[in-house]
Amino acid sequence: MSSSEPPPPGQEPPYGQQPPGGEPPYGQQPPPGPYGQQPPPGPYGQEPPYGQQPYGQMPPPPGGYDYQGGPVLGGSGRRFLARCVDFLVYLAFSCAIGFAFVGTDTDNVNFGKEWAAGAVATVLYFLYEGFMLNNNGQTLGKMATKIKVVRVADGGSVQGSPAWTRAGVFALPLIAPCIGFVFFVVNCLWHLWDQPWQQCLHDKSAHTTVIRI
C-alpha cells in the first residue's frame, strides 16, 4: 500500500503518520512547518499585525510624533518655569483686586472680603488662561519657555472646549478654601509620574498634553 493512500476503513494509520486532512493522533504535536517553524497560531492569542495597536492600548502619540527623535514632551523643568511666569500674572490680578476690595488698610480685613478678592482674581486668571490657550495653545509663560499645549489624539490645536476645560480644571478649584489648594498641588504634580504623556489632571480632563516647539 502506498504511503499516500488512506488506510482501509476501520484501520488506524501507521504510528506517527497523520491521516490526510485529519488531526494528528492523540498526544502528538502537529508536524513543524518549513525550516522547523511551528504552524501559525489561531485567532486567540495571535499577535496583532506589525504597526497595529492591540485592543485597549493607548492611542499613538500626538500627531505621530517620535518623542525620541522629533518634537518632544515639554518636560517638568520647562513647565515649572512657565508656571512661575504665569504666577506673576496671577499675582498682578490678586494685587489689583485686593486693592479694589480692601484698599490700603490691611489691618482690619474680614475673611469674607479676602475670599471674595481671591475668588475674583482666580476667575480673572481662568479667563486669561482660557483665552491664551484658545488663541494659540500658549500662555505668556509657555511662550517664554517655548512649549505648547496640543490635543493628545492628533497634536492639533486646543481651540474651543479643550482650552477652556483645561483652564477651568487648573484654576477654578482654587476658589474653594483649603481643599481647592490641595487639589491644585496634586494636579500640578501629577505629570511627574504620569505615563506616557506626562499629563496633569487638567490635561487628562481636556485630553491634552504639552510639547516643545
Side-chain angles (χ1 to χ4, degrees):
M1 179 185 296
S2 171
S3 58
S4 61
E5 297 179 359
Q11 182 177 340
E12 295 293 333
Y15 179 79
Q17 180 177 340
Q18 181 177 352
E23 296 295 331
Y26 179 79
Q28 292 190 17
Q29 296 293 330
Y35 304 102
Q37 297 180 0
Q38 293 295 328
Y44 296 100
Q46 185 173 353
E47 293 293 330
Y50 178 77
Q52 179 177 336
Q53 297 293 335
Y55 177 79
Q57 186 166 329
M58 296 290 281
Y65 294 146
D66 177 9
Y67 293 140
Q68 302 299 321
V72 297
L73 292 170
S76 300
R78 289 174 183 252
R79 294 180 72 161
F80 175 75
L81 291 176
R83 285 303 178 193
C84 288
V85 174
D86 290 330
F87 177 75
L88 297 178
V89 176
Y90 176 75
L91 192 61
F93 289 149
S94 297
C95 291
I97 299 302
F99 180 78
F101 274 72
V102 178
T104 56
D105 185 9
T106 59
D107 294 333
N108 187 21
V109 180
N110 60 41
F111 174 78
K113 285 187 176 181
E114 289 184 348
W115 177 86
V120 173
T122 299
V123 171
L124 288 178
Y125 183 84
F126 156 70
L127 296 175
Y128 154 79
E129 178 104 356
F131 175 80
M132 296 293 289
L133 295 181
N134 186 68
N135 184 42
N136 67 349
Q138 293 178 286
T139 59
L140 294 177
K142 289 177 174 59
M143 291 179 185
T145 55
K146 299 187 182 304
I147 58 178
K148 184 177 182 178
V149 180
V150 296
R151 292 195 304 260
V152 165
D154 56 10
S157 168
V158 296
Q159 188 175 26
S161 178
W164 292 101
T165 299
R166 190 180 194 275
V169 175
F170 173 74
L172 294 182
L174 286 171
I175 295 177
C178 299
I179 190 172
F181 179 75
V182 172
F183 175 83
F184 175 82
V185 172
V186 174
N187 176 23
C188 290
L189 295 178
W190 198 273
H191 76 282
L192 295 176
W193 55 79
D194 182 75
Q195 295 296 331
W197 298 321
Q198 299 177 2
Q199 293 173 292
C200 293
L201 296 180
H202 53 265
D203 284 310
K204 290 185 177 296
S205 64
H207 307 292
T208 61
T209 190
V210 179
I211 64 169
R212 300 185 190 182
I213 56 174

